[in-house]
Amino acid sequence: MTVILTEKAALRLRTFLRASNAEDPSAPRKAVRLAVGDGGCSGYEYKMNITSESAPDDLVFEEDKVLFFIDKTSAPLLEGIQIDFVDGLTESGFKFSNPNATDSCGCGKSFKVGDCTPAGTSCS
């Protein structure tokens, strides 16, 4: 499984993980759960959250000192994805560049993958 983090994204994710671990230093190591779900205006949407629990069928790996959990259904849709972090006047947050996407919407949080994509919903 390949997930590419820009320097800014890796720094931001490590910061989130450190802050989450600081709440309870004796808790298990925290990870980023990266997934794809039905939704968004193009059909699929990216999901990211902090967790310490992996599922039995998760792919578990580390990239740039960030531990990732990715479920086996999302993995093929995320293979080779690049995650960046932008911080500007008009927008701030994680940006995804997905080589598997055949189309994506203007918000950058939703994408299509050929004919297997579920129906999207309006951005409004």
Side-chain angles (χ1 to χ4, degrees):
M1 181 76 210
T2 303
V3 172
I4 302 162
L5 298 176
T6 65
E7 188 175 325
K8 287 182 182 180
L11 176 63
R12 184 62 66 151
L13 288 171
R14 286 192 304 266
T15 301
F16 283 134
L17 292 168
R18 263 194 308 274
S20 181
N21 280 331
E23 295 170 9
D24 183 3
S26 65
R29 182 176 178 199
K30 302 284 180 143
V32 174
R33 175 167 295 286
L34 181 59
V36 170
D38 292 357
C41 52
S42 292
Y44 285 124
E45 63 185 348
Y46 300 105
K47 298 176 184 263
M48 282 179 42
N49 62 22
I50 305 294
T51 184
S52 58
E53 296 181 25
S54 67
D57 64 344
D58 278 348
L59 297 173
V60 179
F61 64 95
E62 192 170 317
E63 181 68 34
D64 289 327
K65 300 180 183 175
V66 176
L67 184 62
F68 282 94
F69 300 153
I70 300 179
D71 67 85
K72 68 178 182 177
T73 304
S74 296
L77 299 172
L78 295 171
E79 177 62 41
I81 194 166
Q82 179 178 355
I83 303 172
D84 191 12
F85 187 82
V86 295
D87 192 13
L89 292 174
T90 59
E91 65 180 324
S92 180
F94 291 99
K95 295 293 244 179
F96 303 92
S97 179
N98 190 339
N100 305 298
T102 57
D103 195 16
S104 60
C105 73
C107 69
K109 307 287 184 198
S110 180
F111 68 102
K112 289 182 182 180
V113 180
D115 295 334
C116 70
T117 304
T121 57
S122 173
C123 286
S124 56

